[in-house]
Amino acid sequence: MPSKYLLLILTILCTMLMLVTFGTDVFNKPLNSVVGYVIVPFQQGIGKVGGWLSNRSEELIQIRTLLDENAKLKEEVARLTEENTLLQQDKYELNNLRELMELSEQYGEYNKVGARIIARDSGNWYSSFIIDKGSNSGFSVDMNVIAGGGLVGRITSVGPNWSRVTSIISDNSNVSGMTLATENNLIVSGDLKLMAENCITFSQLVDSQNLVAEGDKVVTSNISDKFLPNILIGYISSIDIDANNLTKSGRITPAVDFEHLEEVLVITDMKQTVSEE
């Protein structure tokens, strides 16, 4: 068939199809069915995917915002924790200073200088320790040391800016004491083994009238050669009769907490002594 006839036939066919399409809905129903079964589900799927991606995007933005807020809150918590720690330390030091002030007022007849503990011997108890002041502050050997309501010990060696203190709980410590109520003399001895029970020992108590009782205060006596008189040592916690039936011995609960010491007061007044000459 010649091409011009073929073109004419195709033109007539296209014209007829255009007229049929504009004039009738013969092709609309099949196309609508195709759209309904193919295009719409595809569009719905694209819509759901788009919605899911949009939600994930919003969630990522929220997560990033929460992470930033969490980092800021962590920094704030760290800052507040540090401030709280400093405040607790200040409060603890303030309480210690108040206790030392009350102790200083309690022994107002003596001159005192405060000092801080900077080192101690091994162990859980302050049986021997170093303070941060020495001869430059006027300290000398045998000066008495107090803290926490009572007697701690005495200075046994001195440097320019340090002093070593041997406490009354040390195994080689002996203090001449007396019961405050009855003025009976006794010897207070340190015992590190008993400090686990928060006790030290006493001996050579003469109490023929049985006037001394548990709970009585024990202070340094006037006849002590190293310690000033009437400084509280502790409280009698138990009393036993010795084998000779003449003296008594027992245990004393110290007035000082020898497990937690940080600051002390050094009494710069010395015990008055009489030379042998």
Side-chain angles (χ1 to χ4, degrees):
M1 183 179 293
S3 58
K4 60 180 181 179
Y5 294 114
L6 180 60
L7 177 62
L8 178 61
I9 293 172
L10 292 175
T11 302
I12 294 172
L13 181 61
C14 289
T15 303
M16 292 176 62
L17 289 174
M18 291 174 60
L19 293 174
V20 171
T21 301
F22 283 110
T24 65
D25 58 351
V26 174
F27 298 105
N28 288 343
K29 291 181 179 180
L31 290 175
N32 289 336
S33 299
V34 171
V35 170
Y37 287 107
V38 178
I39 304 300
V40 172
F42 183 73
Q43 289 180 340
Q44 290 177 347
I46 292 177
K48 290 181 179 179
V49 172
W52 183 84
L53 291 175
S54 176
N55 292 334
R56 297 294 81 76
S57 177
E58 292 179 358
E59 289 178 358
L60 288 175
I61 294 173
Q62 293 176 355
I63 290 172
R64 290 176 181 174
T65 303
L66 290 175
L67 289 175
D68 293 338
E69 292 179 355
N70 187 42
K72 293 179 181 179
L73 289 174
K74 285 183 177 180
E75 293 178 358
E76 184 70 12
V77 169
R79 184 182 64 81
L80 293 175
T81 301
E82 183 179 0
E83 290 182 357
N84 186 45
T85 302
L86 293 175
L87 289 174
Q88 288 180 348
Q89 291 176 349
D90 292 341
K91 181 181 178 181
Y92 180 72
E93 292 181 357
L94 179 60
N95 291 335
N96 288 340
L97 292 176
R98 284 177 176 172
E99 290 179 358
L100 290 179
M101 183 65 68
E102 293 175 357
L103 185 63
S104 179
E105 293 176 354
Q106 182 179 350
Y107 298 100
E109 68 272 22
Y110 299 131
N111 295 312
K112 296 167 289 295
V113 176
R116 184 180 295 272
I117 298 173
I118 57 175
R120 71 172 183 180
D121 290 346
S122 60
N124 295 328
W125 311 101
Y126 285 84
S127 59
S128 179
F129 55 87
I130 305 295
I131 56 178
D132 62 353
K133 294 181 181 178
S135 58
N136 293 340
S137 300
F139 291 179
S140 61
V141 174
D142 287 338
M143 283 186 174
N144 295 181
V145 180
I146 59 176
L151 181 65
V152 173
R154 64 185 180 89
I155 294 176
T156 51
S157 59
V158 177
N161 57 357
W162 61 270
S163 299
R164 175 175 289 276
V165 177
T166 300
S167 66
I168 61 173
I169 67 172
S170 178
D171 289 330
N172 60 355
S173 173
N174 292 291
V175 182
S176 178
M178 69 176 183
T179 56
L180 187 61
T182 61
E183 297 185 349
N184 289 15
N185 291 323
L186 47 81
I187 301 296
V188 179
S189 302
D191 192 329
L192 287 177
K193 293 181 179 180
L194 285 179
M195 276 309 298
E197 303 176 21
N198 194 30
C199 290
I200 54 179
T201 63
F202 74 87
S203 60
Q204 301 182 28
L205 170 64
V206 178
D207 181 29
S208 57
Q209 298 181 359
N210 296 321
L211 298 177
V212 179
E214 294 181 2
D216 285 356
K217 291 183 178 180
V218 177
V219 299
T220 52
S221 70
N222 295 322
I223 61 175
S224 175
D225 58 343
K226 302 290 186 182
F227 294 95
L228 296 165
N230 297 319
I231 300 177
L232 180 63
I233 297 174
Y235 306 88
I236 293 178
S237 58
S238 66
I239 302 174
D240 299 315
I241 300 176
D242 295 335
N244 57 20
N245 290 324
L246 298 176
T247 59
K248 296 180 180 180
S249 59
R251 297 183 179 184
I252 294 175
T253 301
V256 177
D257 181 4
F258 285 96
E259 190 176 4
H260 306 94
L261 282 177
E262 290 189 3
E263 293 90 10
V264 296
L265 291 177
V266 177
I267 300 177
T268 55
D269 299 327
M270 298 289 291
K271 173 74 177 189
Q272 183 179 358
T273 58
V274 179
S275 62
E276 294 181 0
E277 295 180 358

